Amino acid sequence: MIENQNIRPAKVIGPLGEPLTLDSLPPRETTRWVVRRKAEVVAAVNGGLLSVDEVCDRYGLTVEEFASWQRAIDRSGMPGLRVTRIQHYRSLYDRQQKY
Protein backbone atom coordinates (compact mmCIF):
# COMPACT_ATOMS: atom_id res chain seq x y z
CA MET A 1 0.00 0.00 0.00
CA ILE A 2 1.19 3.51 -0.70
CA GLU A 3 2.17 5.40 2.45
CA ASN A 4 1.22 8.86 1.19
CA GLN A 5 -2.32 8.05 0.08
CA ASN A 6 -3.81 10.69 2.37
CA ILE A 7 -1.68 13.53 1.01
CA ARG A 8 -3.76 15.92 -1.03
CA PRO A 9 -2.77 18.88 -3.12
CA ALA A 10 -3.34 22.32 -1.60
CA LYS A 11 -4.77 23.52 -4.89
CA VAL A 12 -5.71 22.22 -8.32
CA ILE A 13 -6.31 23.90 -11.65
CA GLY A 14 -9.96 24.79 -12.20
CA PRO A 15 -11.97 24.52 -15.40
CA LEU A 16 -11.10 28.08 -16.44
CA GLY A 17 -7.41 27.75 -15.58
CA GLU A 18 -7.64 29.39 -12.17
CA PRO A 19 -6.29 27.73 -9.00
CA LEU A 20 -8.94 26.01 -6.87
CA THR A 21 -8.58 25.45 -3.13
CA LEU A 22 -11.04 24.08 -0.60
CA ASP A 23 -11.88 27.67 0.34
CA SER A 24 -12.57 28.73 -3.25
CA LEU A 25 -14.98 25.86 -3.98
CA PRO A 26 -18.70 26.65 -3.98
CA PRO A 27 -20.19 27.02 -0.46
CA ARG A 28 -21.64 23.92 1.22
CA GLU A 29 -25.16 25.36 1.13
CA THR A 30 -25.13 25.78 -2.68
CA THR A 31 -28.46 24.83 -4.21
CA ARG A 32 -28.25 26.62 -7.56
CA TRP A 33 -25.77 24.71 -9.67
CA VAL A 34 -24.60 26.76 -12.63
CA VAL A 35 -22.15 25.31 -15.15
CA ARG A 36 -19.07 26.94 -13.59
CA ARG A 37 -19.82 25.58 -10.11
CA LYS A 38 -20.41 22.06 -11.40
CA ALA A 39 -17.18 22.20 -13.39
CA GLU A 40 -15.23 23.44 -10.36
CA VAL A 41 -16.46 20.55 -8.22
CA VAL A 42 -15.62 18.02 -10.94
CA ALA A 43 -12.15 19.56 -11.34
CA ALA A 44 -11.61 19.34 -7.57
CA VAL A 45 -12.37 15.61 -7.61
CA ASN A 46 -10.33 14.95 -10.75
CA GLY A 47 -7.37 16.82 -9.23
CA GLY A 48 -7.59 14.96 -5.92
CA LEU A 49 -8.67 17.92 -3.79
CA LEU A 50 -11.79 16.03 -2.66
CA SER A 51 -13.10 12.51 -3.07
CA VAL A 52 -16.46 11.70 -4.65
CA ASP A 53 -17.85 10.71 -1.24
CA GLU A 54 -16.70 14.00 0.29
CA VAL A 55 -18.31 15.99 -2.52
CA CYS A 56 -21.58 14.10 -2.15
CA ASP A 57 -21.62 14.66 1.62
CA ARG A 58 -20.54 18.28 1.35
CA TYR A 59 -23.13 19.29 -1.25
CA GLY A 60 -25.92 16.77 -0.67
CA LEU A 61 -25.49 15.17 -4.09
CA THR A 62 -26.03 11.58 -5.10
CA VAL A 63 -23.18 9.64 -6.63
CA GLU A 64 -25.26 9.27 -9.81
CA GLU A 65 -25.79 13.02 -10.07
CA PHE A 66 -22.09 13.73 -9.67
CA ALA A 67 -21.20 10.97 -12.13
CA SER A 68 -23.54 12.56 -14.69
CA TRP A 69 -21.59 15.83 -14.33
CA GLN A 70 -18.33 13.99 -14.94
CA ARG A 71 -19.75 12.22 -18.01
CA ALA A 72 -21.11 15.50 -19.39
CA ILE A 73 -17.69 17.15 -19.08
CA ASP A 74 -15.92 14.14 -20.60
CA ARG A 75 -18.30 14.06 -23.56
CA SER A 76 -18.94 17.75 -24.30
CA GLY A 77 -16.82 19.88 -21.98
CA MET A 78 -18.37 22.62 -19.88
CA PRO A 79 -21.22 23.30 -22.34
CA GLY A 80 -22.41 19.73 -21.71
CA LEU A 81 -23.29 20.73 -18.15
CA ARG A 82 -25.98 23.15 -19.30
CA VAL A 83 -29.32 21.77 -18.16
CA THR A 84 -31.17 23.45 -21.00
CA ARG A 85 -29.02 21.66 -23.60
CA ILE A 86 -28.86 18.13 -22.16
CA GLN A 87 -30.99 16.60 -24.92
CA HIS A 88 -28.92 18.29 -27.64
CA TYR A 89 -25.61 17.00 -26.28
CA ARG A 90 -27.04 13.55 -25.54
CA SER A 91 -28.26 13.13 -29.13
CA LEU A 92 -24.96 14.48 -30.47
CA TYR A 93 -23.04 11.94 -28.37
CA ASP A 94 -25.33 9.11 -29.49
CA ARG A 95 -24.76 10.02 -33.16
CA GLN A 96 -20.97 10.10 -32.60
CA GLN A 97 -21.10 6.62 -31.06
CA LYS A 98 -22.93 5.20 -34.12
CA TYR A 99 -20.38 6.36 -36.71
Side-chain angles (χ1 to χ4, degrees), residues 15-52:
L16 302 176
E18 78 288 358
L20 284 177
T21 64
L22 288 175
D23 294 333
S24 66
L25 287 173
R28 291 178 182 271
E29 59 276 354
T30 298
T31 56
R32 186 168 182 273
W33 287 99
V34 296
V35 171
R36 180 187 51 80
R37 290 182 188 147
K38 292 177 185 179
E40 287 175 346
V41 172
V42 171
V45 170
N46 290 345
L49 196 59
L50 290 171
S51 70
V52 174

Side-chain angles (χ1 to χ4, degrees), residues 8 41-70:
R8 296 181 181 209
V41 172
V42 171
V45 170
N46 290 345
L49 196 59
L50 290 171
S51 70
V52 174
D53 291 334
E54 289 170 326
V55 165
C56 292
D57 289 341
R58 181 178 176 130
Y59 296 112
L61 303 172
T62 63
V63 174
E64 292 80 13
E65 185 175 17
F66 179 77
S68 73
W69 294 358
Q70 283 185 312

Side-chain angles (χ1 to χ4, degrees), residues 15-16 35-37 39-40 72-74 76-82 89:
L16 302 176
V35 171
R36 180 187 51 80
R37 290 182 188 147
E40 287 175 346
I73 286 181
D74 289 345
S76 306
M78 283 180 62
L81 291 171
R82 293 178 57 200
Y89 289 111

